[in-house]
Amino acid sequence: MENLLGQSFGGYELKEIAGAGGMASIYKGYDERLSRWVAIKVVPIQATEGGEEVMLERFRQEAKAIAALRHRNILTIYSYGEEQGWAYIVMEYVPGGSLKDRMEAKPIFTWQEALTIVIPVAQALSFAHSHQIIHRDIKPANILMPQDDWPLLADFGLAKMEQASGNNPNLTMPGQVLGTMAYAAPEQIAPEQTSSPGGIDARIDIYSLGIVFYQLLTGKLPFQGSSAFDLLMARLIDPPIPLLEANPRVPQIFSAILNKALNTDPNGRYQLMDDFSQALMKARYELSQSLATPLPGDLPIIRQKVEENLNVRLRVRPDGQEILASSQTEYIIGRAYKSMAPDIDLAPYGGSKAGVSRRHSRLTRRNRDWLAEDLGSTNGTFVNGVKLAPNKPMILTNGDIIRCGQIDLEFRAE
């Protein structure tokens, strides 16, 4: 492809080549007006062959898909344009590379590290699915990593916008498998064999993310083949390599979760991405409780069963994601770090970027009351806009808004 260094699109000068793939090239540009770096993805408009026309239409669709989504774990798009024979998307610039880059440097992740990446991506996909957008190309190269605990979902070039599918041209050429082969769901490989009456749907993203999670835990793909064809056929006829066979050190709780996510039959998988996300969060909570140890200088925490069934629900605002906590009289709210995990982990909700401390605040039950207490956090704990003095609890009532850093949680006990 032609080298465009030094040219300008939409007022952004292309300063460096940041990457390339297929028909598109990605450049690093500088926004003089806002003093920030941006990423500019460009493809040629001149197209006479059908394949190139499809590529350009996908590019336009990618811009529309990302522009329709506003989520902390989805790459932000600033603008789209077509000029000088080129189409371009101006996007958020993300230093730090992709998950693929990190996996090449470190093939196997701990289950804590893997969940810190996969849960936020699952929540981002759940948000996209709620807007009738299916990604269809989930793979490590499309997950950017500005920080260890802050993944960003990118590259919606193959996204299917369900609400407009009846009006869009066919963006698939005959015999083409959408998505990278190693992560494609069986129904993407052989649509005629799917038992889903509606054809390809959001459950393909569940399958693909399941493969990413499996690979993070084991350093391997769940299927083997000596050729690309064998690799494709394996997932149509063979079950995945058992998780504990690929890595015996992985907690057993993830075997059932991945077996369901990687079910060949879409009807046997989690039916919603939110269900997959909730299963992973529940597993992390159970594992964290078994590993919980007090920090140096802390008094041991005695976990007591609550005599009455009084669960704590925290609703993340404005997204509406719900965190359920039960059967304890005390919860530490914070952000997971290495092998340490609080009872309520805000890392999947953007905790690092939002300024949440590792041990940020505490919820404690006294008789029938729940109290919130700041633990000397860096950015403070607020209840209904009032900042709590460290280690001075405040009684909560249903509907109160607890702010940890920049994350708002609506409290409810029931």
Side-chain angles (χ1 to χ4, degrees):
M1 181 180 289
E2 180 183 344
N3 189 329
L4 300 174
L5 284 176
Q7 296 193 37
S8 294
F9 293 99
Y12 303 94
E13 183 180 352
L14 308 187
K15 299 281 191 179
E16 301 175 21
I17 297 178
M23 293 284 293
S25 292
I26 302 175
Y27 292 84
K28 184 177 177 182
Y30 191 70
D31 185 345
E32 297 284 355
R33 294 160 294 189
L34 297 177
S35 301
R36 65 182 177 185
W37 290 98
V38 296
I40 306 170
K41 187 174 184 179
V42 298
V43 298
I45 291 178
Q46 299 93 336
T48 55
E49 299 295 330
E52 293 182 354
E53 291 173 355
V54 167
M55 177 66 193
L56 179 58
E57 187 57 38
R58 282 187 190 151
F59 192 70
R60 290 170 177 153
Q61 182 163 291
E62 177 180 6
K64 293 177 182 178
I66 303 177
L69 303 174
R70 289 289 184 271
H71 191 277
R72 61 183 165 270
N73 296 111
I74 295 178
L75 187 70
T76 301
I77 181 172
Y78 298 140
S79 64
Y80 172 85
E82 297 179 9
E83 58 183 81
Q84 305 176 44
W86 299 87
Y88 62 90
I89 301 174
V90 181
M91 303 173 290
E92 177 182 4
Y93 175 71
V94 180
S98 69
L99 180 58
K100 180 176 182 290
D101 299 327
R102 301 202 176 198
M103 292 169 71
E104 289 173 352
K106 179 183 178 181
I108 300 179
F109 287 55
T110 66
W111 63 265
Q112 294 96 330
E113 292 169 335
L115 288 179
T116 299
I117 295 167
V118 172
I119 290 175
V121 173
Q123 292 170 341
L125 286 167
S126 178
F127 180 75
H129 294 170
S130 71
H131 287 72
Q132 291 76 51
I133 295 176
I134 307 168
H135 191 284
R136 298 204 296 180
D137 195 18
I138 301 301
K139 57 186 179 182
N142 287 340
I143 299 171
L144 305 182
M145 298 295 300
Q147 297 176 19
D148 290 343
D149 60 352
W150 181 25
L152 279 176
L153 186 58
D155 205 337
F156 281 74
L158 299 184
K160 178 183 178 184
M161 304 177 73
E162 291 186 316
Q163 76 276 21
S165 60
N167 300 322
N168 283 349
N170 181 13
L171 302 185
T172 307
M173 289 173 280
Q176 183 181 17
V177 177
L178 288 180
T180 302
M181 290 188 297
Y183 303 91
E187 59 268 35
Q188 288 177 278
I189 300 167
E192 68 281 358
Q193 296 187 21
T194 180
S195 61
S196 175
I200 289 176
D201 57 30
R203 291 173 293 183
I204 66 171
D205 286 346
I206 296 174
Y207 186 96
S208 298
L209 187 58
I211 292 185
V212 172
F213 185 43
Y214 183 105
Q215 190 177 11
L216 286 170
L217 294 175
T218 67
K220 307 170 185 176
L221 293 170
F223 302 98
Q224 293 181 340
S226 57
S227 67
F229 178 78
D230 291 341
L231 184 64
L232 290 175
M233 292 305 297
R235 76 196 62 198
L236 296 177
I237 59 178
D238 298 329
I241 299 169
L243 180 66
L244 296 184
E245 180 181 318
N247 183 359
R249 302 171 70 89
V250 175
Q252 187 173 4
I253 193 171
F254 295 122
S255 292
I257 293 174
L258 278 170
N259 286 342
K260 187 168 185 177
L262 299 180
N263 196 307
T264 302
D265 182 356
N267 295 320
R269 291 178 211 149
Y270 295 99
Q271 298 302 288
L272 297 173
M273 184 63 76
D274 189 54
D275 295 338
F276 185 27
S277 172
Q278 292 292 330
L280 293 174
M281 287 192 287
K282 181 180 179 182
R284 179 171 58 185
Y285 177 78
E286 293 177 4
L287 290 170
S288 298
Q289 294 308 292
S290 66
L291 295 175
T293 55
L295 293 177
D298 280 354
L299 293 175
I301 296 174
I302 300 175
R303 305 292 187 187
Q304 297 179 340
K305 291 286 184 179
V306 180
E307 294 181 0
E308 303 170 15
N309 183 20
L310 192 61
N311 296 330
V312 169
R313 293 180 181 272
L314 298 175
R315 187 183 299 274
V316 183
R317 298 178 52 180
D319 292 355
Q321 295 281 349
E322 199 168 75
I323 305 171
L324 173 65
S326 61
S327 303
Q328 292 179 201
T329 57
E330 182 175 290
Y331 300 95
I332 301 298
I333 301 175
R335 177 168 54 85
Y337 179 72
K338 296 184 178 179
S339 63
M340 298 295 297
D343 301 309
I344 298 173
D345 183 13
L346 297 183
Y349 304 91
S352 178
K353 185 180 180 183
V356 175
S357 299
R358 294 170 190 167
R359 286 170 58 85
H360 196 103
S361 56
R362 186 191 336 251
L363 299 180
T364 308
R365 186 183 179 194
R366 294 181 185 171
N367 299 320
R368 292 287 301 174
D369 292 327
W370 281 96
L371 298 89
E373 176 186 2
D374 184 72
L375 297 178
S377 63
T378 301
N379 294 301
T381 302
F382 299 76
V383 175
N384 299 328
V386 177
K387 187 174 183 178
L388 303 185
N391 304 308
K392 292 189 177 181
M394 174 184 286
I395 294 177
L396 297 170
T397 59
N398 284 346
D400 282 348
I401 304 301
I402 305 170
R403 168 168 286 190
C404 298
Q406 296 300 315
I407 295 181
D408 286 342
L409 304 168
E410 180 181 333
F411 170 84
R412 190 164 298 275
E414 52 190 34

